[in-house]
């Protein structure tokens, strides 16, 4: 199945012209599989020894910002998912762009952290690991089925500092104002970066109308997250969509309401397939501070993603 025409037309206006064709090709091929060690259950050395014993050929992803990250070919995935390390939660399969978000938010042990749209929990698990299972980690998820999947994942991976809430993230800012040191809002999105031409279901719900509806939800979640943040606290906003309505626009909306109380933080990523945010889209002209965010462009290993880190001023 081919990509939706309206999607490719829009994408052409978003990504750099010279990379458009190669980006389009990334939707066709299966991605290389990446995974990381679970610091709550093992160390990189122990996991590597275990994988070697099971005959699983891995390649280290040599990142300064995070150790114990590995890559395998798609055809070896079944072998990995049949390993004891996978069954017993000593590793977690996750795309590299998803790993970057918790690393940039950089929670510390003993802090009070909120993950406002948490299921299935890949990033919550990382936050817990970085907090060394200390402090207070609230994980919020609205959808019932996904909420229980989140709870199962946290238990399976040995997380003990998380408090899970099946509730609407839009209400959290009012219920818990100024409460959290750091907040992750990995927002519900139209998941454009997860489209796969060999999986028609991945794009069957997409439409420009859906993108605009999702944008409204993202704006409200972002305002709620900002209300829940302590002065001096950090908030990371991310999506796995390309659409500016889901990325630059919610940030613009937040800046129009609270611009004098926040700053954005420049980001350094461990790879170079990134692009600066757009300065305008349609009739909207975006605040200069949004330029500190990054749009990650997809490759054969890395999914597309958008990340903005901001700080609430004291
Ligand atoms: N951070 C997760 C991870 O890495 O595994 C993925 C989060 S996913 C992009 C967004 C989640 O937000 C979905 O599970 C969705 O059900 C949930 N969601 C949607 N609307 C919500 C709302 N109003 N409040 C809280 N969660 C919501």
């Amino acid at each position: 199945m081919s990509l939706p025409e309206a999607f490719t037309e829009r994408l052409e206006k978003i990504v750099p012209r010279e990379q458009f064709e190669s980006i389009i090709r990334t939707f066709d091929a299966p991605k290389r599989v990446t995974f990381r060690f679970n610091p709550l259950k093992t160390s990189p050395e122990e996991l590597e020894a275990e994988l070697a014993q099971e005959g699983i050929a891995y390649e280290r992803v040599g990142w300064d910002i995070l150790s114990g990250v590995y890559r395998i070919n798609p055809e070896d995935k079944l072998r990995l998912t049949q390993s004891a390390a996978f069954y017993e939660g000593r590793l977690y399969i996750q795309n590299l762009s998803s790993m970057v978000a918790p690393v940039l938010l950089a929670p510390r042990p003993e802090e009070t952290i909120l993950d406002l749209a948490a299921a299935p929990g890949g990033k919550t698990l990382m936050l817990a690991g970085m907090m060394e299972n200390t402090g207070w980690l609230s994980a919020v998820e609205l959808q019932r089925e996904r909420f229980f999947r989140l709870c199962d994942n946290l238990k399976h991976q040995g997380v003990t500092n998380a408090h899970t809430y099946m509730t609407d993230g839009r209400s959290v800012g009012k219920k818990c104002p100024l409460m959290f040191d750091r907040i992750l809002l990995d927002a519900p999105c139209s998941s454009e970066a997860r489209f796969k031409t060999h999986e028609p279901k991945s794009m069957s719900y997409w439409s420009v109308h859906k993108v605009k509806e999702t944008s409204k939800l993202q704006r409200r979640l972002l305002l709620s997250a900002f209300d829940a943040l302590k002065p001096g606290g950090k908030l990371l906003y991310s999506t796995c969509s390309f659409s500016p309505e889901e990325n630059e626009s919610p940030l613009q909306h937040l800046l129009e309401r609270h611009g004098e109380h926040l700053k954005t933080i420049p980001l350094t990523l461990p790879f170079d397939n990134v692009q600066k945010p757009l300065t305008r889209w349609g009739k909207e002209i975006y605040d200069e501070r949004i330029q500190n965010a990054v749009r990650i462009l997809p490759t054969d290993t890395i999914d597309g993603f958008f990340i903005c880190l901001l700080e609430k001023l004291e």
Side-chain angles (χ1 to χ4, degrees), residues 3 7-8 11-12 15-31 193 195 197 242 272-275 296-304:
L3 294 163
F7 167 72
T8 48
L11 189 65
E12 198 169 5
V15 300
R17 184 170 304 191
E18 62 284 5
Q19 290 180 51
F20 175 68
E21 292 300 334
S22 63
I23 287 174
I24 287 290
R25 282 196 294 277
T26 66
F27 295 100
D28 292 333
K31 288 240 151 70
F195 286 180
T197 51
F242 298 96
D272 57 11
N273 48 305
V274 294
Q275 176 196 10
I296 300 176
L297 301 171
T299 67
D300 66 347
T301 309
I302 300 176
D303 282 344

Side-chain angles (χ1 to χ4, degrees), residues 116-123 141-143 146 168-170 186-188 217:
L116 193 59
K123 299 183 190 70
E141 169 59 44
L142 182 61
Q143 283 185 25
R146 290 178 68 88
D168 192 327
R170 287 171 286 192
D186 184 35
L217 170 62

